Amino acid sequence: LKPLEHEAAAPDARQAHVAIVADRAVERQDLAHMTEALGLQSTEARTMREALELNREIPALLLVVHSPMDGPAEADALERFKNQALEAGLPFFKALAITADDSRWDALAESGYTHALLEPVERAAFALTVRELFEEAGFALPDNAPGAAAGAAAGAAAEAAPEGESSATETPE
């Protein structure tokens, strides 16, 4: 018999995981707290390069980037994240951009971002977006997580929004 307390548990490839990239610690911490409130684990990094290094250990289903760049270098980094996720057996990879305004959303979408939210990030919108992505991938997030009620409220608000009005989540086109 082997003593179990000495064996490190290997992370499950289908573990619900979010990678967070933000220059400033306060933004990383805020996004990490919102992620944790949904019952999800996260890794935080200051740069995309650092996040890619961390992602080798535990590939993320979702990458959240505060004030992202667009262009070929960003597209390459997002493709590398996607490849790592798929190689780990995750069903897909999504990238969420957090931006000050929506003027660059088309360029971000061309670089590979699949979703976007405006800052300051509304907790309910963040919870709804992340919950929808993880449930689409087959992860059952706990309903008793502190963010679950906020996500449900945001969903109700988004459904109640008149046509042409902004909803809780946006997908860059």
Side-chain angles (χ1 to χ4, degrees):
L1 295 176
K2 290 187 204 176
L4 295 176
E5 62 269 4
H6 296 295
E7 287 191 20
D12 179 11
R14 293 199 35 89
Q15 185 176 13
H17 184 76
V18 177
I20 296 170
V21 178
D23 288 340
R24 296 180 14 184
V26 69
E27 287 141 357
R28 286 191 306 274
Q29 188 175 34
D30 191 37
L31 291 167
H33 286 307
M34 286 191 278
T35 301
E36 184 180 334
L38 292 168
L40 298 169
Q41 296 180 4
S42 67
T43 53
E44 298 82 40
R46 287 179 290 166
T47 65
M48 288 290 269
R49 170 181 255 150
E50 182 183 350
L52 271 166
E53 289 295 320
L54 294 170
N55 202 59
R56 286 185 192 162
E57 302 279 324
I58 306 173
L61 179 80
L62 174 64
L63 172 68
V64 179
V65 182
H66 188 274
S67 299
M69 304 298 284
D70 55 69
E74 195 83 353
D76 180 58
L78 292 175
E79 187 66 25
R80 290 166 56 194
F81 273 102
K82 178 181 175 181
N83 290 338
Q84 288 176 355
L86 296 178
E87 287 169 9
L90 295 170
F92 56 71
F93 166 78
K94 303 290 182 175
L96 169 62
I98 308 291
T99 64
D101 62 54
D102 62 2
S103 64
R104 294 183 22 245
W105 282 6
D106 288 339
L108 291 169
E110 289 173 14
S111 294
Y113 284 91
T114 57
H115 295 74
L117 291 173
L118 292 173
E119 62 177 329
V121 178
E122 293 180 25
R123 292 184 183 282
F126 182 84
L128 178 64
T129 302
V130 174
R131 181 172 289 282
E132 286 176 354
L133 291 174
F134 276 85
E135 288 176 355
E136 179 185 342
F139 291 98
L141 298 186
D143 286 334
N144 61 350
E159 290 175 16
E163 193 146 328
E165 300 264 332
S166 177
S167 68
T169 62
E170 299 287 336
T171 303
E173 296 178 21

